[in-house]
Amino acid sequence: MKFERLADKITQVRGIAFNPKDISEIPLPDYIPVLKANNIKERGIDFSNLIYIHRSKVKPEQFIKKGDLLLAASSGSKDIVGKNIFFENDFEGSFGAFCKLVRPNKKVNHNFLAVFFKTPIFKRHIRKLIQGALINNLKNEHIDSLQIPSLSFSTQIQIANILSKAETLIEQRKQSIVLLDEFLKSMFLEMFGDPAFNKKQWCKFQLQDLIASGDKINYGVVQPGEDGNKTGIEIIRVGDFDGIKINSKNLKLIDVAIEQKHKASRLSGDEVLLACVGATIGKIALTDKSHKGFNIVRAVARVRCNSGKLNRLYLCQLLLTSYYQFNLKNLARTVAQPTLNIKQIEELKIPVPPLELQNQFAAIVTKTEALKEQYKISLQELENLYGSLSQKAFKGELIFKDAEEALLLMAAEPDVEYN
C-alpha cells in the first residue's frame, strides 16, 4: 500500500488575529460569527458565547466553505487540541487565531478526509505531538506530515460511508442512553411530582429518621494512604461513580490496618453513596452485593435506607432531581473547598410517598438501568468496531463486505433480559 503526505492534498488556513475593540458579543449588520477553539465539540459547533467581527476584517480564504475541517490548534487544555468539525455546507462565518482550517484539494475526497480526522490514528498522532509540551500548539508541519493511503476516489468514498455509518450508530447509542435518563426523570415527576413544590403533599421526614435501624450516615476513610497498594481493602472514590453505578475496574486498595479504623463506613452492599466534597457534590451511586466489605473515602457519605420506609432507588432519583441537586450544592460550606457535613445530610427533608408507589417506581428504574447497561455494552462494542474498521481502512486492509455485515449486525437493538 502506497502512502502519501497529507501536505500534498490540503491547504491550511490561519485564523483571524483581531483586536478586542473590533469584536462584538452580539450580532450586528455586516458582522459574522467567529468560531473559537471552545466552540468545537465532538458533536459539532457549540453556538454559545459566540463573538462577531465585521466581514471587512476577514480575508476571502478565511470564510468557512463546504468540505472544510476546522481544528482547535492551540489551547491550555490538551483535551481540546485536535478536536475538529467538518462542514458539509458553506458557513457564513470565520474562525479565530487559536484554530486552523484544513481545506482539501481535488486530490482527496473531503468526506474521506473528515472521517480520517475522527479516527484513533489521528488522535494518537495529536496526543504524541503535545505530550509534555508546555504550550499545546498544532503547527502546520504536524498536519502536513500525516500519512494517508493513496486510494482511488471510489474507495475513499466507500471508506467514508462505512465509517460515517459507524459514527452514526455510536451517536445513536449515546443518545439512547441520554433518553433513558430523561425517561426516568419524567417518570419520577409523573409519579411523585416536583419535590420543589410537593403538590401531592407527601409527608416529609428528616433523612436520619429513614435510615436502617442501628445504622447512621457517615463519611469514609479520612487518609486512605498512598496509592498503589497491591493488597488490602477496596475503597470507592467519587471517580468510581459511573452514572448511578460503581465502576469496579480500577478501585484502589488501602491497608487493612487503616481500614480497620473506619469500620463504621464499611459497606454492606445496599447503600446510597453521596459525594459531599468539592465540585462533585451531589453525585449519587448505588452499591450492590459485590461491594460488601469495601470502604469509601472521606469525600463520600454512605446512607442505608430503612427498607420498610424508604426505597433506596426512589431516594437516589429524588436526590438527582434539579431541586435537590441545587440544594445540596447550596448547603455546602466552603472551607478549603465546599463540603457537605453529616448533620446537613441527616437533616435533609425527604418527602415519603407510600412504599408501594416507591417500589413500583424502583421496578421501573431497575428495568431502565438494565436496558441502559445493555446500551453501554453495545456502545463499547461499536467504539471498538469503529477503531478496528478505521485502522484497517487507513492501512488499506478493509474488506467492505465484512465491514457492512458487521455494522448491520451492530445496528440491531440490544436484547435485554430482566431478572
Side-chain angles (χ1 to χ4, degrees):
M1 171 60 61
K2 181 183 176 183
F3 288 82
E4 298 174 317
R5 292 177 77 244
L6 196 56
D8 300 327
K9 300 176 182 293
I10 62 168
T11 300
Q12 296 189 53
V13 183
R14 294 180 62 184
I16 306 168
F18 50 79
N19 191 312
K21 68 181 179 61
D22 295 328
I23 294 300
S24 170
E25 294 183 355
I26 60 171
L28 295 172
D30 288 326
Y31 275 62
I32 62 169
V34 177
L35 300 177
K36 307 184 296 294
N38 288 338
N39 296 117
I40 300 175
K41 305 297 182 185
E42 288 291 345
R43 295 183 180 181
I45 302 171
D46 177 0
F47 286 100
S48 61
N49 300 313
L50 281 179
I51 57 174
Y52 301 84
I53 194 168
H54 195 275
R55 59 174 57 249
S56 64
K57 302 286 185 181
V58 183
K59 297 176 182 177
E61 66 270 19
Q62 291 175 321
F63 284 89
I64 299 172
K65 303 296 183 185
K66 177 181 178 179
D68 286 347
L69 275 155
L70 183 65
L71 278 74
S74 182
S75 172
S77 170
K78 289 181 169 64
D79 293 332
I80 292 178
V81 174
K83 281 191 175 181
N84 58 87
I85 48 176
F86 170 65
F87 290 83
E88 296 182 6
N89 298 290
D90 290 351
F91 177 74
E92 187 61 18
S94 191
F95 55 100
F98 288 171
C99 299
K100 67 165 67 248
L101 205 66
V102 172
R103 180 165 287 155
N105 60 30
K106 293 182 179 181
K107 295 180 182 179
V108 64
N109 177 267
H110 55 254
N111 289 305
F112 175 74
L113 193 62
V115 295
F116 174 73
F117 273 77
K118 294 291 184 185
T119 61
I121 297 169
F122 171 74
K123 291 176 182 177
R124 284 196 298 270
H125 178 76
I126 299 304
R127 280 197 299 269
K128 185 177 179 182
L129 287 172
I130 64 177
Q131 189 172 13
L134 294 176
I135 302 175
N136 308 313
N137 289 321
L138 269 185
K139 299 178 181 178
N140 280 8
E141 55 263 36
H142 294 154
I143 302 300
D144 285 342
S145 64
L146 282 161
Q147 298 278 325
I148 61 171
S150 178
L151 300 168
S152 68
F153 255 64
S154 61
T155 301
Q156 291 179 35
I157 292 169
Q158 280 183 291
I159 288 173
N161 287 340
I162 285 173
L163 293 184
S164 293
K165 285 180 184 177
E167 285 180 350
T168 299
L169 287 174
I170 287 170
E171 287 306 312
Q172 287 173 348
R173 287 291 180 268
K174 288 179 179 178
Q175 185 61 22
S176 294
I177 292 169
V178 171
L179 289 174
L180 287 173
D181 286 333
E182 292 301 316
F183 166 73
L184 283 181
K185 291 177 185 177
S186 174
M187 284 303 301
F188 183 94
L189 294 176
E190 182 179 323
M191 294 177 71
F192 305 111
D194 189 334
F197 306 105
N198 194 24
K199 288 184 177 179
K200 301 199 176 187
Q201 298 184 336
W202 308 121
C203 292
K204 289 186 177 183
F205 300 86
Q206 289 189 347
L207 185 55
Q208 63 185 345
D209 298 324
L210 301 169
I211 64 173
S213 178
D215 209 326
K216 42 184 199 176
I217 301 169
N218 48 32
Y219 299 131
V221 179
V222 178
Q223 293 182 332
E226 297 295 326
D227 286 345
N229 284 358
K230 297 195 176 165
T231 60
I233 306 297
E234 289 90 344
I235 191 164
I236 294 175
R237 304 156 296 165
V238 180
D240 299 313
F241 290 15
D242 182 8
I244 64 169
K245 293 183 178 293
I246 305 292
N247 185 341
S248 299
K249 290 181 180 177
N250 299 304
L251 295 181
K252 298 292 184 182
L253 301 175
I254 62 167
D255 188 87
V256 174
I258 295 174
E259 196 277 337
Q260 282 288 326
K261 298 176 183 177
H262 298 273
K263 291 180 183 179
S265 57
R266 194 176 289 168
L267 300 177
S268 300
D270 58 356
E271 292 90 352
V272 175
L273 301 184
L274 169 63
C276 50
V277 176
T280 60
I281 284 174
K283 289 191 75 172
I284 307 289
L286 299 171
T287 64
D288 60 45
K289 60 185 179 181
S290 70
H291 305 121
K292 186 174 181 178
F294 293 9
N295 217 310
I296 53 177
V297 295
R298 168 63 180 76
V300 175
R302 60 182 281 286
V303 180
R304 289 188 68 219
C305 298
N306 180 334
S307 59
K309 297 179 180 179
L310 193 64
N311 188 300
R312 71 183 189 130
L313 291 176
Y314 163 76
L315 176 63
C316 173
Q317 292 298 320
L318 177 75
L319 295 178
L320 287 171
T321 61
S322 57
Y323 173 75
Y324 276 90
Q325 287 291 298
F326 173 81
N327 280 288
L328 288 169
K329 290 175 174 61
N330 197 44
L331 280 171
R333 295 175 180 172
T334 302
V335 188
Q337 59 182 334
T339 303
L340 275 174
N341 64 44
I342 292 298
K343 190 170 189 299
Q344 289 170 318
I345 299 170
E346 289 175 337
E347 292 178 352
L348 283 173
K349 293 291 184 66
I350 304 298
V352 182
L355 189 59
E356 182 181 356
L357 190 62
Q358 293 182 47
N359 291 341
Q360 288 175 15
F361 177 71
I364 295 170
V365 173
T366 299
K367 290 182 179 182
T368 305
E369 286 295 324
L371 180 56
K372 189 159 72 170
E373 195 61 30
Q374 291 301 313
Y375 274 125
K376 285 183 176 181
I377 292 169
S378 175
L379 174 61
Q380 184 62 60
E381 290 172 347
L382 276 167
E383 288 175 338
N384 292 341
L385 177 62
Y386 177 77
S388 173
L389 292 178
S390 61
Q391 188 155 344
K392 288 178 180 177
F394 291 100
K395 284 184 176 179
E397 300 172 355
L398 187 63
I399 299 172
F400 295 110
K401 182 181 177 183
D402 291 350
E404 291 281 5
E405 288 176 354
L407 287 173
L408 187 61
L409 184 64
M410 292 299 293
E413 290 291 308
D415 292 326
V416 183
E417 293 183 4
Y418 300 135
N419 295 326

